[in-house]
Amino acid sequence: MTARLSIAIIGGGIGGLFAANALLARGLRVTVYEQAPAIGETGAGVFVTPNAVRHLERVGLGGAVERLGARVGPESAYFHHDGAHIAPVQVTDAAGWNACFGMHRADYVEFLAAHLPSDTLRTGHHAVGFEQTADIARVSFANGAVAEADVVIGADGIHSELRPHVFPPSKPVFHGTIAYRGLVPRERLPHWPLDRWQMWAGPAKHFLVFPVRGGDMVNYVGFVPADEQMKESWSAPGDPDVLRREFDGWDARVGQVLEQVDRTYRWALYDREPLPTWTRGRLSLLGDAAHPMLPHLGQGANQAIEDGMALATILARADAASAPACLLAYERLRRERVAEVQLGARKHGLRVDSRVEDLRKRDADLVAHAEFRKQLYSYDVVTHAEHAVNAAPPTSPGQPSSPFR
Ligand SMILES: Cc1cc2nc3c(=O)[nH]c(=O)nc-3n(C[C@H](O)[C@H](O)[C@H](O)COP(=O)(O)OP(=O)(O)OC[C@H]3O[C@@H](n4cnc5c(N)ncnc54)[C@H](O)[C@@H]3O)c2cc1C
């Protein structure tokens, strides 16, 4: 019997931790190396959608999503900045399955980490070097440790240390926008409806609110144009009064949330052009390391979950010799879909910032956008990964066998 494939994942964010869960569920040997001394996340929300929830359920985390998320329903909507209704927001897949949840980021990484056997996760490991031979991949860490594995997955975020080992270094693209993010306890907004995702689209700005933690907190994000100084600070504490002024005169509901903001953080919004390749030999990328995207479709983390599920489905049939070909099959499966979402996020950002010529057409586009979401949410990456496994071409000319065992 061939030895089980060993995989080292660099980065214990949502992407790396989910991939570890998915690979373990397929019986593979996995270790996650995270640079921080402990797993944790910022005080902000993340929207989890059906195309990711179906995989969280598959690895046994459906209960955690139900318990710690806040499901939103059909009252979800887009509004003009003055409060006039524009369009409903799609919250189900094509089969009518409603699995859209607001989630506190800290809750998300905690339950992903808690579901792993304790020896799977090594914190305090900052990856600083990578090398590989035909037979093995090796990662070195700032603390002097070295990890060897059949496969290394760079899940180390937008500033990935491992990406330059796959593709020459490039600069992320700044989009002239920053996001102010934070959470307000439910008791400070006693009349706020907790069953919906709501967005107000105004001139060059938009404001988003959805519940997290079973409705115990309300998450807000205010997207505003950024000056050069803000561009420099990747993520930093923001001034609640400056945030309030940005949305002065908007719908009273936006004001109600902002009145309760004591603390806020701001993020400069970057993405990258889609990479032409994610893989080199035994190293491949996943999540923001492979495809950082603007948050306007709320898909960065959801696509990272799809990546992890695709990777696990494909590597489950690999052995040490076939692993590089299997990583290429994973990349082929993911790159096109993710590039579409990356570019779609840019386009949707222009819509909700009203950076369009014809606002009436924009409103019609927001109504039609529901169909795009339905398709996005209905996609099941496992079906596609299994198809890729079954349809895999020979690894090299004259070699009849598939890379998958
Ligand atoms: C304003 C905003 C709102 C968003 N809203 C949503 C949303 O609603 N839905 C959604 O799906 N996505 C959303 N996103 C995107 C989402 O946050 C990211 O796509 C997602 O967190 C990426 O996960 P990741 O695990 O790939 O990377 P990260 O979360 O960046 O995790 C990378 C991990 O790697 C570690 N690391 C880095 N370098 C090293 C190293 N050298 N060695 C070891 N460890 C290392 C880091 O410490 C970190 O833990 C939003 C983003 C922003 C900015």
Side-chain angles (χ1 to χ4, degrees), residues 21-360:
N21 276 285
L23 290 159
L24 281 169
R26 292 288 192 149
L28 299 165
R29 284 186 293 154
V30 187
T31 310
V32 180
Y33 298 90
E34 163 59 38
Q35 65 182 1
I39 292 293
E41 258 288 358
T42 49
V46 59
F47 197 57
V48 191
T49 54
N51 51 315
V53 175
R54 63 170 58 86
H55 310 307
L56 289 155
E57 287 188 345
R58 278 181 173 130
V59 303
L61 289 166
V65 174
E66 293 271 350
R67 203 173 58 255
L68 294 164
R71 195 192 298 268
V72 300
E75 299 297 322
S76 299
Y78 291 102
F79 302 95
H80 285 283
H81 71 290
D82 63 3
H85 185 271
I86 304 176
V89 166
Q90 184 66 31
V91 293
T92 68
D93 69 2
W97 181 44
N98 178 344
C100 283
F101 294 88
M103 186 83 71
H104 193 307
R105 296 180 70 94
D107 294 342
Y108 205 172
V109 293
E110 267 170 45
F111 77 66
L112 287 170
H115 200 243
L116 296 171
S118 56
D119 60 349
T120 305
L121 187 54
R122 312 259 162 93
T123 51
H125 280 68
H126 174 68
V128 290
F130 174 82
E131 57 184 17
Q132 61 181 316
T133 66
D135 301 323
I136 198 90
R138 207 167 279 122
V139 183
S140 46
F141 298 92
N143 61 8
V146 174
E148 284 192 345
D150 298 315
V151 164
V152 170
I153 299 298
D156 51 346
I158 187 167
H159 302 295
S160 174
E161 194 87 32
L162 289 173
R163 184 178 38 230
H165 295 278
V166 170
F167 193 74
S170 63
K171 281 204 160 148
V173 182
F174 179 60
H175 286 270
T177 300
I178 60 161
Y180 283 91
R181 296 208 272 185
L183 298 160
V184 177
R186 182 215 323 239
E187 51 277 15
R188 295 185 64 174
L189 287 166
H191 304 298
W192 192 264
L194 296 167
D195 60 348
R196 61 198 72 172
W197 181 106
Q198 301 180 94
M199 182 181 282
W200 288 260
K205 298 176 188 174
H206 63 284
F207 194 79
L208 167 66
V209 182
F210 58 81
V212 301
R213 200 170 273 173
D216 282 352
M217 299 183 119
V218 172
N219 172 71
Y220 68 85
V221 195
F223 296 86
V224 304
D227 61 21
E228 281 306 299
Q229 184 204 345
M230 285 167 166
K231 175 183 169 180
E232 290 311 312
S233 64
W234 191 272
S235 119
D239 180 339
D241 288 327
V242 174
L243 169 61
R244 278 186 270 274
R245 280 200 294 278
E246 291 279 6
F247 292 93
D248 206 16
W250 284 44
D251 184 6
R253 289 173 290 179
V254 172
Q256 271 171 36
V257 174
L258 289 177
E259 254 171 46
Q260 301 303 328
V261 172
D262 295 333
R263 206 184 311 164
T264 190
Y265 285 86
R266 45 177 222 212
W267 271 258
L269 294 195
Y270 292 80
D271 67 2
R272 286 180 187 273
E273 298 303 333
L275 286 181
T277 177
W278 299 3
T279 305
R280 189 145 171 259
R282 297 183 174 278
L283 170 64
S284 197
L285 305 174
L286 177 150
D288 276 11
H291 48 71
M293 59 182 74
L294 294 180
H296 305 310
L297 289 177
Q299 280 296 307
N302 291 304
Q303 291 301 311
I305 299 284
E306 284 191 15
D307 289 347
M309 202 67 197
L311 187 72
T313 308
I314 289 175
L315 287 185
R317 305 264 289 275
D319 60 17
S322 65
C326 293
L327 291 179
L328 286 173
Y330 151 75
E331 173 194 315
R332 266 198 305 278
L333 173 65
R334 296 301 297 148
R335 216 153 34 81
E336 208 174 302
R337 168 157 168 96
V338 168
E340 204 179 302
V341 180
Q342 265 175 303
L343 299 176
R346 286 183 181 176
K347 197 165 156 193
H348 201 59
L350 297 177
R351 270 188 209 127
V352 290
D353 275 342
S354 313
R355 295 182 197 271
V356 292
E357 274 180 20
D358 179 349
L359 278 183
R360 292 238 301 265

